[in-house]
Amino acid sequence: MTTPIPTPPALPFIGNAASIDSEVPLNSFVLLARQYGEIVLLNLSGRKIVLASSYELLKEVSDEKRFHKYLHPNLEQVRNATGDGLFTAHVPEEKNWYTAHRILMPAFSTSSVLGMFDDMYDIVSQLVLKWERYGPNYPIDLSADFSRLTFDAIALCSMSYRLNSFYRDDLPPFVQSMGDFLFESGRRALRPGIVNTLMRGSANKYQEDMDTMLGLVNEILADRKAHPTEKKDLLTAMIEGRDPETGLGLSDDNIKRNLLTFLIAGHETTSGLLTFVIYYLLRSPDTMLKLREEIDTNIGDRPMKPTDLHKLPYLLAVLRETLRLAPTAPARTVAPLEDTTLKGGKYFVQKDQAITLNIYMIHRDPAVWGDDAEEFRPERMLDGKFEALPPNAWQPFGFGMRACIGRAFAWQEAQMALVAILQRFDFVMQDPSYTLHLRQTLTIKPKDFYVHAIPRAGKPRLLATPSNYLVVSHVNEGKGHTNQVDTATSGGTVPKQPLYVLYGSNTGSSESFAQRIATESAAHGFRASIGTLDSAAGRLSKDGPVIIVTASFEGQPADNAKQFVTWLTDLKDDVLKDITYAVFGCGNRDWVQTYQRIPTLIDQLLGERGAKRLVPRGEGDAGGSEFFEAFDDWSSGLWQELSRVYQTRNTDSAAGIKITTVDTGSSRASLLRQSDTAFGTVIENQFALPEDMTYRAGDYLAIIPVNPSQYVHRVIAYFGLSAEQEITMSVSGPTSLPVNKLISIFNLLSGYIELSQPATTKDLRILTELAKTEDTKAAIARLSSSYADEVVAKRLSVLDILELYSDFEMSFEAFLQLLPSMRVRQYSISSSPLWNPSHVTLTISVIQSSTIPGRKEPFYGVASTYLASLRPGDKVQMAVRPSNSAFHLPTDPSVPLTLFAAGSGIAPMRGFLQERAIQAESGREVGKSLLFFGCRKPEVDFLYANDDLKKWEELGVVDVRPAFSQLGDDCKHVQDRIWQDRQDLRKAYLEGAKFYLCGSSKVAASVKETLCSIIGEIRQVGPEEAAKVFEEIMNGRSATDVFE
């Protein structure tokens, strides 16, 4: 007896069509696979489609004796233009396919494609020349430029026709029309036919796009007939070729349909592949280094030759692994030739029932690719592993007689393009925090993915790509891509001595410190440039000191420092002997094993490679009370040494900022701004994400907050300003302030600087100099002597101190000079995309305290107060940021979970449990979760106890083990409950559970200590040995997300 195929809830008439993302249907297919598993039956406006997402099903249907290619509704729409071309012909009904296939197969043989080498290299060279001409500060739209490359290549190599796409700024009309045509074809496939008929505007545009594409095809064919050539290219084969079996040739109409097919398929897939390759290489600097070494060793600086093709094994592995994770044709559809069953009789499918193979998810099946299937690891394709894969496990080019005829062409083109560009350029992401978003037409490509191409030889050029691109969007209010940094200072005498400030930062702390150095540089006689560490990989400057501020993230470099660390690690001998440098590291001592690992490594390697250290490496503990003080002390010594070594002179410390009043506030300037894709919307305790933004359970939502209005009005009142007063600013050196533009005082104070950050020890020294009375100087001295207790613990900001003591002579400019720029805040998302792929929820603690002794005014947490004040309809600038790759659910939902959380640390755990609950409700086998949750009292902060957690317990998804610190029982904290229930914990471990923790560093340390105690009890060993065992047995089975 067969089992019904799982089916999602459907609406009358349209079925499941409304639940499929019309922009990127693949996103919906991914979520359906995660929710329902390997198979699900969809009703798309009356059309039934079986979605298959496992290797077992792929293997079974890759049998041309039982299944044939079936044109998915998308391809049926594409037929409006391509007709009975090779890709969209109905076989066996349309006999033209057989004739064209036999005639054209020889034109795409490996030897024929090798004969196209020179023409291909011609087009690749045009791409390289363009990037060299535009320079390293130009943001390259990779998808667009690779489309130009592949479009021109297919036209020249197969049709001997030059399209010259690199000699125009916009995309060729064919490419633009093709993109619109394919996108609309996908949308038409999801609509009922009558709706397409009624949408006259869309229908007219659709026809115009087809006319544009067919117009080029007619032009190419007419040109060839008017100017015959002896060149035996693809077009010659179409015109003159005869079927070896029937002796028939191709009609003009079929030639045009196939020309259009090749122009579409021949460039769309390869351009996507190349774009994905660069994305994954930039996300994996070690892989980039290995690939570059292979190219440099085997080819060097010379042009690639035909004999080099297929002889770079690591390059081939990179291409194969890219197509595994990002098959540019992410699905194909088949149908049974007769009524049949799948999986040994489990599922019944009728004759001609469409079965869409979700190649994107099948290429992630852990049964074939392992538990790290989501990771980019080309090594899995090396040393015979690719050849040893199960049959048909890797299918980016389709299957059988309907597989891609142009595979050899694409493979050669991709190798040539990558070798040429990696020989000549280093690449840096325009946005280091870019998260992969897809654009889907007939194929998939990265959306809005921009890079800088930096020549590998020549003078260093730094690119100040921020640690979080939201900052750029905020400052520039959505105005395009602009990361170019003017290294010259403005106003007054321009300092002559260059200074290079580099940072590695994910959350913004290191970047903020780097910005302070750059901002202060002019006052010390230096001309600063600021950029990411990655922007300086391979090109450290010799004409000025290099100052590095960077952090470790679980022992790994920041996202915008990975390439630099990889490059530096690979250097030999004393190649940096002409470099002068200093390093300051940010970290958290609670992570003993990895504290300051990356700053220490960079400092050590620079010294070992001959660079001259200016001052000893500085370090700041973000979890301690002297984080900012440590930086101030280190930077003070740095400036003294820099001035001594480079013989510079100090100037007025506040001279860097100059303000001109433009409008006294008599008229109100318009404060409304248009929303763009960086803005999400508040909807009843949820956020609707910006368009095309996706997430996974466990990811972060990054928010740019604004200061509480109470703080802003306090500053305005203190300096006697008007909230509506408008100013422009000019600044000496690089800055994150909105310079040379009109801005109101209120907006400046609200959105660009941190008003509540505790005053640093350097701030206190400056305030002492500005105090007019000895009493105030003495008061500031007392704050300095008890800095941790009197300033940090009480959260005393510069503003707080100014208000406590009223006799300072401080200008507004000097006040701004002291304050750091506004930081992005990251919060763990507390929902799952299976609940709603375009909405997220947050679970936060709102920080407001009016009872801190020694404070004159209440303290408000900047971001939490901002979020708490939001109302439905408010726009919030946000971005999804991926969490550590380990801090995501296992691909297999049957793997049990053990979760540790305290307070708002429940956020990602709720997302995990919500996803598991939805999977369970959809019929999937779900492993049991054990949740240890630390709270104060049941009625105070036992979050979700009476709704979600209760429902999920009843569903059998989770067993909740709370600990209440204010009830007076023995289990006050999470670690106490863990110890009490240690037998259950041991059982979960033996059953293969994966462990997750989210909470403060103190919670993390306490949980680890208790787990080590359990190990010590079981194994009868001491604490030190237990800690070693803990690291061994938890390797690959635990993930943490720690916040302060």
Side-chain angles (χ1 to χ4, degrees):
M1 185 175 179
T2 59
T3 300
I5 298 174
T7 304
L11 296 174
F13 304 111
I14 64 173
N16 306 116
S19 63
I20 303 299
D21 186 341
S22 62
E23 305 286 327
V24 187
L26 178 62
N27 287 340
S28 299
F29 289 171
V30 168
L31 295 178
L32 285 165
R34 288 178 179 162
Q35 181 171 347
Y36 291 94
E38 66 175 348
I39 192 167
V40 61
L41 177 63
L42 302 176
N43 176 1
L44 302 180
S45 301
R47 293 188 298 267
K48 298 290 184 67
I49 292 177
V50 173
L51 181 67
S53 302
S54 72
Y55 166 68
E56 286 297 320
L57 288 171
L58 173 68
K59 179 175 67 172
E60 182 170 0
V61 304
S62 295
D63 179 355
E64 291 182 303
K65 294 179 180 179
R66 294 177 60 198
F67 300 88
H68 65 95
K69 177 175 177 175
Y70 182 92
L71 291 193
H72 189 275
N74 290 30
L75 289 183
E76 286 288 357
Q77 295 295 329
V78 174
R79 271 180 62 89
N80 293 325
T82 58
D84 60 356
L86 285 178
F87 192 54
T88 50
H90 287 297
V91 177
E93 298 88 347
E94 294 179 325
K95 303 302 181 182
N96 278 341
W97 182 87
Y98 296 96
T99 302
H101 194 259
R102 286 190 289 264
I103 290 174
L104 300 180
M105 275 291 288
F108 281 108
S109 67
T110 301
S111 59
S112 295
V113 171
L114 191 62
M116 304 175 187
F117 187 94
D118 290 343
D119 284 344
M120 267 190 199
Y121 200 84
D122 180 332
I123 304 301
V124 170
S125 298
Q126 292 183 38
L127 171 72
V128 171
L129 288 171
K130 175 186 175 179
W131 289 356
E132 289 178 339
R133 185 171 69 250
Y134 276 66
N137 286 314
Y138 177 74
I140 297 170
D141 182 344
L142 277 181
S143 179
D145 272 358
F146 283 142
S147 289
R148 290 181 173 93
L149 167 74
T150 54
F151 185 52
D152 280 20
I154 189 67
L156 181 61
C157 296
S158 65
M159 305 168 199
S160 303
Y161 193 86
R162 285 192 179 273
L163 294 168
N164 295 321
S165 299
F166 287 107
Y167 295 92
R168 56 187 303 150
D169 292 331
D170 56 344
L171 285 173
F174 179 97
V175 175
Q176 185 63 55
S177 291
M178 182 207 68
D180 293 344
F181 165 77
L182 294 176
F183 182 74
E184 179 62 15
S185 292
R187 301 194 71 167
R188 287 167 66 92
L190 294 174
R191 302 185 196 122
I194 190 171
V195 175
N196 287 325
T197 302
L198 295 174
M199 298 179 66
R200 294 184 179 179
S202 296
N204 290 337
K205 174 64 166 62
Y206 192 62
Q207 185 61 51
E208 290 172 4
D209 290 331
M210 286 192 289
D211 291 342
T212 298
M213 293 188 296
L214 289 169
L216 177 61
V217 168
N218 289 328
E219 182 181 317
I220 291 174
L221 186 57
D223 179 76
R224 173 58 61 89
K225 289 185 173 182
H227 306 91
T229 177
E230 295 183 0
K231 190 174 183 180
K232 301 300 181 182
D233 58 13
L234 177 72
L235 185 53
T236 298
M238 287 185 181
I239 296 173
E240 300 178 0
R242 293 294 179 266
D243 182 356
E245 289 190 11
T246 67
L248 297 175
L250 301 180
S251 67
D252 278 1
D253 181 73
N254 190 253
I255 290 174
K256 292 175 184 179
R257 301 297 182 181
N258 276 303
L259 280 177
L260 184 54
T261 296
F262 288 124
L263 285 172
I264 293 175
H267 95 271
E268 181 75 356
T269 50
T270 312
S271 63
L273 165 62
L274 291 170
T275 309
F276 279 118
V277 167
I278 299 301
Y279 168 79
Y280 284 117
L281 288 176
L282 291 179
R283 281 293 181 212
S284 180
D286 289 342
T287 303
M288 174 73 89
L289 180 62
K290 291 177 185 176
L291 179 56
R292 197 185 293 282
E293 284 179 344
E294 181 179 73
I295 293 170
D296 289 348
T297 300
N298 291 281
I299 299 179
D301 295 330
R302 66 171 172 80
M304 191 179 190
K305 300 176 181 178
T307 52
D308 296 318
L309 290 167
H310 313 294
K311 294 182 180 178
L312 299 173
Y314 200 72
L315 173 60
L316 298 179
V318 166
L319 288 169
R320 287 168 175 156
E321 179 71 346
T322 299
L323 283 174
R324 181 185 73 82
L325 281 176
T328 50
R332 67 182 180 90
T333 302
V334 299
L337 293 167
E338 303 291 344
D339 290 354
T340 189
T341 59
L342 301 174
K343 297 205 71 173
K346 185 174 182 179
Y347 302 114
F348 172 77
V349 286
Q350 293 180 325
K351 176 184 177 181
D352 291 330
Q353 167 63 63
I355 303 173
T356 294
L357 296 162
N358 189 356
I359 302 299
Y360 188 89
M361 290 301 289
I362 293 170
H363 279 184
R364 288 165 164 76
D365 190 335
V368 175
W369 305 103
D371 293 335
D372 66 344
E374 292 285 349
E375 301 301 313
F376 179 72
R377 192 167 61 81
E379 286 71 17
R380 73 173 90 238
M381 302 291 184
L382 284 173
D383 303 323
K385 298 185 187 70
F386 175 74
E387 291 75 12
L389 286 171
N392 299 311
W394 187 78
Q395 278 196 11
F397 291 103
F399 171 78
M401 71 175 187
R402 300 298 299 270
C404 175
I405 193 174
R407 175 174 177 169
F409 185 96
W411 213 236
Q412 177 172 307
E413 184 179 28
Q415 293 177 69
M416 294 174 65
L418 288 171
V419 167
I421 64 177
L422 292 177
Q423 280 179 317
R424 291 163 175 80
F425 301 104
D426 289 322
F427 294 93
V428 177
M429 288 190 189
Q430 167 85 349
D431 170 10
S433 64
Y434 174 82
T435 301
L436 183 62
H437 299 303
L438 299 178
R439 180 177 185 272
Q440 184 171 5
T441 53
L442 190 63
T443 63
I444 57 172
K445 295 180 181 181
K447 182 178 181 180
D448 297 332
F449 180 48
Y450 292 83
V451 302
H452 296 277
I454 307 169
R456 291 181 68 183
K459 186 174 180 179
R461 301 191 60 174
L462 304 184
L463 299 173
T465 49
S467 58
N468 190 302
Y469 199 61
L470 282 170
V471 176
V472 170
S473 301
H474 186 65
V475 171
N476 293 290
E477 297 181 354
K479 297 178 182 176
H481 300 275
T482 170
N483 277 335
Q484 184 170 345
V485 175
D486 184 358
T487 59
T489 57
S490 60
T493 302
V494 178
K496 300 297 184 183
Q497 176 60 53
L499 174 82
Y500 300 93
V501 187
L502 304 174
Y503 59 85
S505 182
N506 278 357
T507 61
S509 295
S510 295
E511 181 184 357
S512 178
F513 285 152
Q515 181 63 62
R516 284 179 56 180
I517 293 174
T519 301
E520 294 172 2
S521 62
H524 293 277
F526 289 87
R527 185 177 75 255
S529 299
I530 184 170
T532 63
L533 278 165
D534 279 352
S535 72
R539 56 183 63 78
L540 283 178
S541 178
K542 301 176 182 179
D543 61 343
V546 177
I547 312 302
I548 295 173
V549 185
T550 191
S552 293
F553 294 89
E554 298 188 20
Q556 299 301 313
D559 289 342
N560 48 18
K562 292 179 180 179
Q563 295 178 58
F564 180 87
V565 172
T566 301
W567 165 75
L568 185 61
T569 303
D570 192 56
L571 293 179
K572 308 295 182 185
D573 304 322
D574 61 347
V575 293
L576 302 180
K577 60 184 179 180
D578 297 323
I579 305 296
T580 303
Y581 77 98
V583 176
F584 183 87
C586 300
N588 190 314
R589 287 189 186 276
D590 291 332
W591 302 104
V592 177
Q593 302 296 327
T594 59
Y595 178 65
Q596 296 285 335
R597 178 182 176 273
I598 296 302
T600 302
L601 178 66
I602 289 175
D603 183 55
Q604 174 186 333
L605 290 175
L606 286 170
E608 290 176 355
R609 300 296 165 257
K612 303 175 185 64
R613 186 182 292 109
L614 280 164
V615 293
R617 175 178 56 84
E619 61 179 55
D621 176 15
S625 61
E626 299 179 350
F627 184 46
F628 299 102
E629 181 179 9
F631 175 76
D632 287 342
D633 291 345
W634 179 83
S635 62
S636 177
L638 172 69
W639 288 124
Q640 292 178 20
E641 184 64 12
L642 285 170
S643 296
R644 184 190 69 80
V645 172
Y646 292 93
Q647 297 297 299
T648 59
R649 291 184 299 174
N650 294 355
T651 59
D652 182 0
S653 63
I657 298 179
K658 296 183 179 181
I659 292 179
T660 303
T661 299
V662 176
D663 187 328
T664 60
S666 57
S667 63
R668 184 181 298 273
S670 174
L671 301 179
L672 298 176
R673 293 182 296 177
Q674 292 184 342
S675 299
D676 60 27
T677 57
F679 284 91
T681 306
V682 179
I683 302 176
E684 295 297 337
N685 298 319
Q686 306 167 21
F687 289 109
L689 292 173
E691 185 181 0
D692 298 326
M693 196 171 286
T694 60
Y695 72 102
R696 296 169 65 188
D699 284 345
Y700 303 115
L701 191 68
I703 299 286
I704 293 185
V706 297
N707 284 307
S709 59
Q710 299 95 321
Y711 289 171
V712 175
H713 286 295
R714 284 167 56 195
V715 176
I716 290 171
Y718 182 86
F719 288 101
L721 304 170
S722 163
E724 297 179 353
Q725 183 173 338
E726 292 186 329
I727 61 173
T728 59
M729 293 186 293
S730 61
V731 178
S732 296
T735 182
S736 57
L737 291 174
V739 297
N740 302 321
K741 61 176 289 187
L742 198 65
I743 187 168
S744 71
I745 293 289
F746 188 89
N747 282 352
L748 172 65
L749 295 173
S750 294
Y752 293 94
I753 54 178
E754 295 278 357
L755 293 178
S756 62
Q757 178 175 293
T760 67
T761 52
K762 179 180 179 181
D763 296 336
L764 295 180
R765 289 195 295 269
I766 293 174
L767 290 173
T768 300
E769 296 172 2
L770 298 175
K772 292 188 291 186
T773 67
E774 292 302 318
D775 289 344
T776 299
K777 292 180 185 291
I780 302 301
R782 288 192 296 271
L783 294 178
S784 298
S785 63
S786 302
Y787 179 73
D789 295 331
E790 295 297 324
V791 178
V792 177
K794 295 177 180 179
R795 306 292 300 180
L796 287 183
S797 65
V798 171
L799 176 61
D800 291 323
I801 296 172
L802 290 176
E803 291 177 330
L804 284 172
Y805 311 99
S806 58
D807 60 338
F808 292 101
E809 290 184 346
M810 175 175 278
S811 67
F812 185 49
E813 289 90 337
F815 176 74
L816 294 179
Q817 188 86 0
L818 291 181
L819 302 181
S821 57
M822 178 65 74
R823 291 185 297 107
V824 171
R825 270 68 167 182
Q826 291 189 162
Y827 293 95
S828 292
I829 294 171
S830 60
S831 58
S832 162
L834 299 191
W835 160 73
N836 191 324
S838 60
H839 286 198
V840 299
T841 62
L842 298 182
T843 303
I844 64 171
S845 298
V846 180
I847 302 174
Q848 294 183 358
S849 177
S850 58
T851 59
I852 300 179
R855 287 186 59 91
K856 182 179 179 181
E857 298 283 348
F859 175 77
Y860 299 95
V862 173
S864 63
T865 302
Y866 168 65
L867 291 172
S869 70
L870 296 173
R871 296 293 179 265
D874 282 347
K875 301 295 181 183
V876 180
Q877 198 156 9
M878 61 177 58
V880 172
R881 302 289 301 280
S883 61
N884 183 290
S885 59
F887 204 82
H888 290 108
L889 285 171
T891 306
D892 182 357
S894 67
V895 175
L897 308 178
T898 300
L899 313 174
F900 308 111
S904 60
I906 190 66
M909 310 311 181
R910 179 180 182 267
F912 290 159
L913 294 173
Q914 186 181 58
E915 182 152 320
R916 285 292 180 89
I918 293 172
Q919 290 172 325
E921 290 173 330
S922 301
R924 301 199 70 181
E925 179 187 349
V926 171
K928 189 70 169 286
S929 295
L930 194 59
L931 171 64
F932 292 89
F933 185 15
C935 316
R936 291 192 292 273
K937 290 182 179 180
E939 67 276 11
V940 174
D941 60 347
F942 191 9
L943 303 175
Y944 308 111
N946 298 320
D947 40 57
D948 291 339
L949 293 181
K950 180 181 178 181
K951 180 176 69 174
W952 297 337
E953 276 197 293
E954 293 171 352
L955 188 62
V957 169
V958 64
D959 184 354
V960 184
R961 307 293 178 88
F964 301 106
S965 61
Q966 296 181 6
L967 283 188
D969 56 23
D970 292 335
C971 287
K972 290 186 175 182
H973 304 290
V974 171
Q975 60 268 28
D976 301 325
R977 189 64 192 260
I978 293 172
W979 180 257
Q980 177 179 292
D981 297 346
R982 57 191 181 278
Q983 294 304 323
D984 293 333
L985 197 71
R986 184 184 185 191
K987 179 183 176 183
Y989 177 81
L990 294 175
E991 291 175 348
K994 187 167 181 180
F995 292 72
Y996 297 86
L997 181 146
C998 184
S1000 69
S1001 56
K1002 291 182 180 179
V1003 170
S1006 298
V1007 168
K1008 179 179 178 180
E1009 182 180 350
T1010 305
L1011 294 176
C1012 289
S1013 297
I1014 295 173
I1015 293 171
E1017 180 185 67
I1018 294 171
R1019 301 222 179 170
Q1020 295 295 300
V1021 296
E1024 186 174 337
E1025 182 63 25
K1028 291 181 181 179
V1029 174
F1030 174 84
E1031 298 297 336
E1032 293 173 2
I1033 67 175
M1034 285 298 182
N1035 184 30
R1037 288 188 58 179
S1038 67
T1040 59
D1041 185 6
V1042 177
F1043 57 84
E1044 296 301 333

